[in-house]
Amino acid sequence: MTTARETPRPAPAGAAPHVAPAAGGPAPAPEADGVPLLGNIVEFRKDILDVMHRGWQEHGGLVRYRLGPVVVHGVSSSELAGEVLTDSATYGKLGPDNPLRLILGEGLLTSDDHESWMRNRRMMQPIYAKQALAGMYRAMADSTADQLAHMERVYAPGAEVDVHGEMMRVTLDIVSRCMFSTDVSRTRDSLSPEAVDVAVNFAFDRLQNPFSPPTGWPTPRNRRFRRVMDGLDSMMYGIIEERRAAGPPEGGAKDLLDMLLAARDADTGEGMTDRELRDEIITTFAAGHETTAVTLTWAFYLLSRNRQVLRRAQEEVDRELGDALPTAADLARMPYLLQIFEEALRLYPSAPIVPRLTLKDTVLGGHRVPAGSRVLVNLFNIHRDERHWDDPERFDPDRFAAARKKGRHRFAYLPFGAGPHLCIGKHFALMEAHLLLAALIRRYEFRHVPSHRVVNHATITLRPKYGMEMTLHERRPSRARRPLGEDPAAD
Ligand code: HEM
């Protein structure tokens, strides 16, 4: 099959060709064609993945682009990606002009101050460790049960469903409950999916267009963004204040916010300030819901186009699950479902481009890369490299069977990044996605509506440009509201 990109692509080039240093040192990377002054701005805005795919085919694993005055290096080889992502002394996060900071402040994802990033990462690492997340399972399962009940209530058999909308709804609810113990996203408009969308689109537009009007100008778009952010900030600071006033909960932390409030710097014994807490909470919401939602959406699309894979998934679920929602122990007996999610993340990495800024002059793939260049590590291309993946456009979850994973290049598969900034929420996302896939596949079959056009579109995440309309067919009646058979936290 082909993926949502409608035409299959010819075999791509691999790593950047080695270029012998010229008399004056290494040559710059090959430059993609662009128009005078604007360079590649317009085509980046239209379809960044398409431009970078062409650049990769024409020039190899390292290509230079221009966004007006800004120089950008596209990286599409796993070897060079490994160098960039593991060397944070040379390749840092984007600087203070990173538009995402307008939303996320200096949370882990956007902080460019290595010291304070390191301090907060150390404090937060144990909270997101695999063992610690068992305590989040019940919140995830409750939210999954509510989602099934909602779908049963709202959709008649065979009805058309906006699958992406439904996945966004449930993942936002999960992150809300794990963070605050309540489904804040349902009760407060400031954290509705619509509000989150306004903020994220605003920042992404500015990321691609250095000529955007200053944020202080009273344009309608700037004013809408400000309103959304003011609402979000006052809600966050309100919740933090309430929790601080209530003091530490009896019987230990009940949610992520309790854990963030209790986290202490190992050297100084200090906790986070309100501002730091606000930034980390919003970062968790932003980084931790759409990424999972959109991959689930692509997974259901891929399953509907690959009946054999779907049948195997259904057999696994039917064999291993009774009538109740899966426990963590049930999930461990359903490895094929997880492989489906991993393969969906290969074809549609939900954070398709990982950006960096060169902190000093350097040489990458034999080419000179000056300090101050943006470097975009393109996971969409890397995951299609024929040197590491047979028939890369084919959806084949068996690629992630234990035996076939052995010996694969260390940086051939990077959906969660690599190196010191490796996604802190990786285990959270995998547990949540595994649970949702099991519960939804057991209960429903999603079928792609043939007239609905599916095209991928990279904003910050890799979304289906026209949404994902599918019809919903009931497989087994819902018993999701029955209590869990055993306490998953005890696994
Ligand atoms: C399928 C789901 C997810 C994908 C594909 C994903 C992908 C990524 C990637 C590629 C990075 C590296 C960014 C970089 O190097 O600059 C990252 C970082 C991060 N992710 Fe995720 N993520 C997912 C889910 C989550 C979840 C559920 C959370 C939180 C609950 C989360 C929180 C973060 C944070 C805070 C960072 C910044 C880490 C740092 O720089 O120290 N992510 N993620």
Side-chain angles (χ1 to χ4, degrees):
M1 64 158 288
T2 62
T3 62
R5 220 149 254 289
E6 286 168 332
T7 44
R9 307 295 175 116
H18 181 74
V19 175
E31 183 170 338
D33 290 340
V35 298
L37 286 177
L38 293 180
N40 308 96
I41 288 185
V42 176
E43 50 177 2
F44 258 52
R45 279 169 67 101
K46 199 164 157 218
D47 190 346
I48 185 173
L49 288 185
D50 189 54
V51 181
M52 291 184 77
H53 200 286
R54 269 189 282 123
W56 179 35
Q57 288 178 330
E58 285 167 21
H59 303 291
L62 185 70
V63 183
R64 208 154 34 103
Y65 302 93
R66 279 185 308 104
L67 303 183
V70 179
V71 177
V72 170
H73 283 79
V75 171
S76 299
S77 102
S78 30
E79 293 81 357
L80 302 186
E83 267 185 61
V84 170
L85 296 177
T86 53
D87 178 3
S88 50
T90 307
Y91 303 93
K93 293 276 180 126
L94 301 188
D97 57 345
N98 178 359
L100 279 177
R101 281 167 72 154
L102 294 169
I103 309 175
L104 309 179
E106 301 200 28
L108 287 185
L109 197 61
T110 40
S111 168
D112 67 334
D113 173 353
H114 191 73
E115 291 298 305
S116 69
W117 165 80
M118 177 90 93
R119 171 181 170 269
N120 285 0
R121 175 95 194 195
R122 283 211 193 108
M123 283 162 77
M124 291 172 66
Q125 190 77 27
I127 299 177
Y128 289 96
K130 206 170 177 178
Q131 315 77 283
L133 286 174
M136 299 287 129
Y137 194 88
R138 184 164 290 277
M140 290 183 185
D142 286 349
S143 195
T144 304
D146 280 0
Q147 178 65 18
L148 291 177
H150 154 81
M151 287 170 65
E152 183 167 287
R153 209 170 43 243
V154 172
Y155 300 110
E160 276 193 20
V161 181
D162 163 16
V163 178
H164 184 47
E166 289 301 334
M167 295 305 107
M168 292 284 274
R169 180 182 190 278
V170 64
T171 56
L172 188 57
D173 188 56
I174 285 179
V175 80
S176 254
R177 292 192 202 210
C178 290
M179 179 62 75
F180 300 127
S181 296
T182 57
D183 48 353
V184 170
S185 65
R186 300 275 159 76
T187 51
R188 313 265 189 113
D189 284 348
S190 12
L191 205 55
S192 66
E194 296 73 27
V196 173
D197 226 37
V198 167
V200 169
N201 289 340
F202 183 87
F204 183 69
D205 245 39
R206 302 186 71 83
L207 203 55
Q208 285 199 318
N209 182 6
F211 299 120
S212 307
T215 44
W217 289 8
T219 64
R221 200 150 189 231
N222 282 346
R223 283 209 302 263
R224 201 168 62 225
F225 174 72
R226 206 50 275 155
R227 259 199 317 277
V228 165
M229 290 315 296
D230 288 347
L232 200 56
D233 280 350
S234 75
M235 174 188 144
M236 289 299 158
Y237 286 122
I239 294 177
I240 293 169
E241 196 183 324
E242 279 166 28
R243 281 288 174 101
R244 282 207 196 275
E250 270 175 41
K254 293 194 174 37
D255 53 30
L256 288 171
L257 180 55
D258 283 344
M259 295 185 216
L260 289 173
L261 278 160
R264 292 289 174 269
D265 182 324
D267 296 330
T268 64
E270 279 173 27
M272 290 189 199
T273 62
D274 284 3
R275 173 76 208 196
E276 285 175 317
L277 284 167
R278 174 256 178 232
D279 290 353
E280 297 303 354
I281 295 169
I282 296 186
T283 295
T284 304
F285 271 85
H289 91 282
E290 180 166 351
T291 41
T292 309
V294 78
T295 313
L296 286 166
T297 303
W298 289 118
F300 284 116
Y301 169 70
L302 289 163
L303 286 171
S304 77
R305 303 283 301 263
N306 293 271
R307 307 291 301 171
Q308 276 186 343
V309 177
L310 176 63
R311 291 287 161 255
R312 255 179 85 183
Q314 289 172 338
E315 277 164 29
E316 186 174 81
V317 170
D318 293 347
R319 190 175 59 240
E320 300 299 342
L321 278 190
D323 282 338
L325 277 174
T327 64
D330 292 330
L331 293 184
R333 292 194 310 275
M334 294 187 281
Y336 193 60
L337 290 191
L338 196 57
Q339 287 171 221
I340 289 170
F341 190 73
E342 290 175 301
E343 174 69 341
L345 267 177
R346 182 185 69 82
L347 283 168
Y348 299 99
S350 49
I353 290 173
V354 178
R356 290 288 184 272
L357 186 71
T358 44
L359 303 176
K360 51 188 177 196
D361 291 345
T362 189
V363 175
L364 183 63
H367 294 290
R368 168 161 44 93
V369 181
S373 305
R374 278 196 199 172
V375 176
L376 303 182
V377 178
N378 186 320
L379 308 186
F380 190 88
N381 287 349
I382 290 169
H383 290 178
R384 283 166 168 73
D385 188 334
E386 289 193 321
R387 293 173 308 142
H388 306 301
W389 306 98
D390 283 343
D391 194 3
E393 293 293 343
R394 197 159 68 87
F395 176 57
D396 174 13
D398 280 328
R399 296 179 201 273
F400 292 92
R404 280 180 65 188
K405 279 205 274 198
K406 267 196 207 127
R408 188 169 289 147
H409 188 278
R410 200 174 143 216
F411 300 113
Y413 182 64
L414 298 167
F416 293 103
H421 291 284
L422 179 77
C423 176
I424 201 170
K426 175 179 168 181
H427 298 298
F428 185 107
L430 292 177
M431 185 161 92
E432 167 188 27
H434 205 168
L435 165 63
L436 282 166
L437 274 178
L440 288 163
I441 290 176
R442 177 192 163 280
R443 172 110 168 84
Y444 291 113
E445 187 173 316
F446 293 92
R447 294 189 196 145
H448 174 230
V449 177
S451 58
H452 178 72
R453 193 158 166 241
V454 177
V455 177
N456 64 47
H457 179 63
T459 57
I460 291 171
T461 56
L462 185 56
R463 296 175 172 179
K465 187 168 185 180
Y466 307 107
M468 186 67 77
E469 295 297 333
M470 299 181 91
T471 52
L472 194 62
H473 304 269
E474 199 171 323
R475 296 188 61 237
R476 291 171 68 171
S478 176
R479 305 257 202 284
R481 284 193 165 281
R482 282 175 50 156
L484 292 169
E486 56 190 90
D487 184 359
D491 291 334

